[in-house]
């Protein structure tokens, strides 16, 4: 599984390291990420650029750790916008993160099925 959405080398390494806990890691990422997306939405709605920056930074880290490269890139872009206090384009960025998370979710659920 190597494409613009997921880094297959990272997933292989995670499988080797986590062994039987790998499916749990995928499940945890999916659940945690839903909360992170909600945090992005809340911070955006409140106009709190620092909360948005922190939420994007945190989500970026977990995405990077799980090999969700495109999602991490989008979070980084949002983090930079929020750091600079540029919220006018942030709504579109959050929407892009939500779309990419939907794709990653499908891919991770398919990956999870291999271990059912």
């Amino acid at each position: 599984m190597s494409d613009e959405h997921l880094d297959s080398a990272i997933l292989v390494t995670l499988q080797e390291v986590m062994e039987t806990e790998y499916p749990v890691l995928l499940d945890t990422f999916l659940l945690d990420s839903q909360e992170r997306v909600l945090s992005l939405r809340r911070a955006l709605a409140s106009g709190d650029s620092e909360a948005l920056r922190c939420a994007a930074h945190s989500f970026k880290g977990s995405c990077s750790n799980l090999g969700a490269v495109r999602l991490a890139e989008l979070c980084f872009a949002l983090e930079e916008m929020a750091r600079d206090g540029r919220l006018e384009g942030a709504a579109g960025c959050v929407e892009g993160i939500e779309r990419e998370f939907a794709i990653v979710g499908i891919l991770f659920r398919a990956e999870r099925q291999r271990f059912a």
Side-chain angles (χ1 to χ4, degrees):
M1 182 184 321
S2 178
D3 61 25
E4 67 184 77
H5 303 286
L6 298 178
D7 183 329
S8 61
I10 291 175
L11 293 179
V12 167
T13 300
L14 288 171
Q15 289 171 40
E16 292 169 356
V17 171
M18 298 298 295
E19 296 177 346
T20 59
E21 293 299 309
Y22 177 66
V24 175
L25 178 66
L26 296 175
D27 292 342
T28 301
F29 173 80
L30 290 171
L31 286 173
D32 181 63
S33 295
Q34 291 172 349
E35 286 302 314
R36 292 178 188 273
V37 169
L38 289 174
S39 293
L40 292 174
R41 284 188 207 151
R42 282 192 295 268
L44 180 64
S46 70
D48 186 340
S49 61
E50 181 58 18
L52 187 59
R53 185 199 64 77
C54 288
H57 176 79
S58 180
F59 196 16
K60 176 190 73 179
S62 63
C63 293
S64 294
N65 290 339
L66 269 286
V69 291
R70 179 75 181 123
L71 192 51
E73 291 169 358
L74 291 168
C75 289
F76 177 72
L78 181 59
E79 178 185 5
E80 291 294 301
M81 287 176 128
R83 175 178 286 121
D84 296 340
R86 295 180 289 123
L87 297 184
E88 57 277 352
C93 204
V94 170
E95 289 171 10
I97 288 169
E98 290 173 328
R99 282 191 302 274
E100 183 63 18
F101 176 60
I103 293 167
V104 167
I106 290 166
L107 296 172
F108 274 165
R109 284 194 263 316
E111 175 74 358
R112 175 69 175 84
Q113 288 300 311
R114 295 187 327 120
F115 298 90

